[in-house]
Structures are given as C-alpha cells and as structure tokens.
Amino acid sequence: MSDQQWVVRADAAPRDGFDLVIDDRTEGWQHTGLRIATLDAGEQLEVPAGAWEYVVVPLAGPVDVAAAGPSGTEAGASLAGRASVFAGPTDVAFVPAGWSLRLTGAGEGSRVALCAAAVPGGAASYPFRHVRVDEVPVELRGAGIASREVRNFGVPDVLGADRIIACEVVTPAGNWSSYPPHKHDEERDGEETELEEIYYFEVQRERSEPAGPGEGQPGEAGQSRPVGYQRVYGTDERPIDVLAEVRTGDVVLVPHGWHGPAMAPPGYDLYYLNVMAGPGPVRAWLICDDPAHAWVRDTWGDQQVDPRLPMGGET
C-alpha cells in the first residue's frame, strides 16, 4: 500500500451528507472515526445507533445534539461552540455506544466534527454528557518554539468513555508540535498503549497578519492558502513514511510508527484535532518518545512558554 493512503484531503471522502468520513470502511482502518459536517440553521444529519461512541466537537458556530439510547432514553445538548478553532476551547457532547444521534445546525454555516471510536460488543459503560467549556482543561505543553496549547476535553481524566480519547492542539506560527516524535502502537504494561490516531487540520494566517482571500476554507483557491506539515515514520519492522503538506480540512492517519513534528510555518497558526482508540484493555494515552530525539524534552526547563499562548482562552 502507498503511504499516501494515510493522507486524506478535505474534499476526498464525502459520504452520507458529511463533508468527510473516516471509519472502518476506510482501507486499513478499524478503531477510530471522524466525520466533518457543515450545517446551516435547521439543517440536520443523523447517525444510526451502532457499536461506536462519539464526541461532538463544534469547529465553528453552534450545533444542537439529540441522542436516543437503546432503552428509549433521550438526551441532548445545545453546544454553543465558538467563532473558529483558533478562538478558544469549546463545549462538547459525548454520545455513548448503542445510541443514535442527530445534529442540527443552530447558525449559518456551522462546522462540526464527530469523533468516533469502536466499542467491542457495542455496550456502553458511560452516560451521555455535555462537557461545558469551563470544564475543559487547557494545558500549555512544551516550551520555546516547541510550545503549544492542548485542550483536553476528551482525555481519560476529564471524560468517562469506553474507548475514545480526543483533544485538540493549537500551535502558534513558527512552532513545532507533536514533538519530540513519539509512538503508541504496541501494548506495554504501564509504558505504552496501542492506539490508532487521526489528525484533522485547520490552518490560519497568523493573527497579527491581515487575512487573505480564500483563507481557511477547505477546497477554496486564493492567493493566501495557509499551510502546515505533518511527519510520520516507522521502523524497519513496521515501515511507514509520510511527510504531508496540510491545509484546512485535511486529515493524516497514523496507523503506527513515530509521529511528529506537526509544523506551523512562520506566518501560519496550526490547529489539529486528535482522535485515538485501540484494541487494548486500558483506555490510556501512554507514549514512547523516539530515543534519537527524546533529549529535547530536557531543554524545556530553561525556556519560557511562548507568550502567544493560550490563543483565545485562559488557562
């Protein structure tokens, strides 16, 4: 298989009314999923019940979520969202496995991500939940030009779920993120967990710079088309080799191997939404740094966190 199969462009995988769909129908993929939708006010999309749990993440604008459980239980949330992914954290909704859901646009051109993880057997252990924006921990990770902002709405310590792990990361222009390169592709008790990972990207011109035409819109041409980069590489035993130029709406899939850095070139801020899940018995994000680059973490103690962070929010 070509390594380019792991790069999915913004307009390459529409399905079932969604702008983009990644799930177990995607070749070589089985544990995680992602759907992106654009909804005008009152416009609806439905997802039938199945052996998947979901986290609904507004990318731009508000969205209403209605869900129904197998015993007739109903739940819902009106997600306030935000102006854009660079404006700050958002509230999200967790929908358990075995529940159907309906998304309804609550503004003009609202954009929403539906993060998914397969739950073996399809039986849910956790209830529907609306995670409000003030419940989302914002972490400033790294230092110097490795500084980035992590919004941890869907990690184990914050959200009760069976399989899914999700968060979003904002990297200011000129910085490196997802660094040092790391992996999580094998089960090693207390040291590493086996997790597939989806990176969904958005990019904008740095806030101090004037906006350009066509900026930030998937598939649109224009003189200014912000860009970022993502690296994935493997081992001799499990090779993979991806160096992808990414724009708003693009996805990079990480089935295994070292991944990072995610690079925000000078002039362009980079956002990515991470969705992770795997076959292992423990829901945990345990990673192993590439030994060739792990020493970089030791340099952070003498550096300040980038003063541009947090972007659009408070820690």
Side-chain angles (χ1 to χ4, degrees), residues 172-228:
N175 284 12
W176 284 30
S177 167
S178 208
Y179 195 75
H182 58 279
K183 73 178 184 72
H184 38 71
D185 60 11
E186 57 184 318
E187 289 291 329
R188 295 188 296 134
D189 188 26
E191 296 186 40
E192 186 176 353
T193 44
E194 181 181 353
L195 301 168
E196 281 182 347
E197 185 164 13
I198 298 172
Y199 278 70
Y200 164 82
F201 292 93
E202 296 201 10
V203 194
Q204 72 168 7
R205 187 178 288 203
E206 188 176 6
R207 289 182 300 173
S208 62
E209 299 296 328
E215 187 160 313
Q217 297 301 314
E220 278 195 17
Q223 295 177 359
S224 175
R225 295 196 63 210
V227 63

Side-chain angles (χ1 to χ4, degrees), residues 253-266:
L253 304 176
V254 184
H256 59 85
W258 312 105
H259 43 288
M263 294 164 273

Side-chain angles (χ1 to χ4, degrees), residues 39-43 61-65 78-80 103-110:
L39 298 170
D40 288 332
E43 188 176 359
V63 64
D64 293 333
V65 182
S78 292
L79 302 182
L103 303 175
T104 303
E108 294 305 315
S110 291

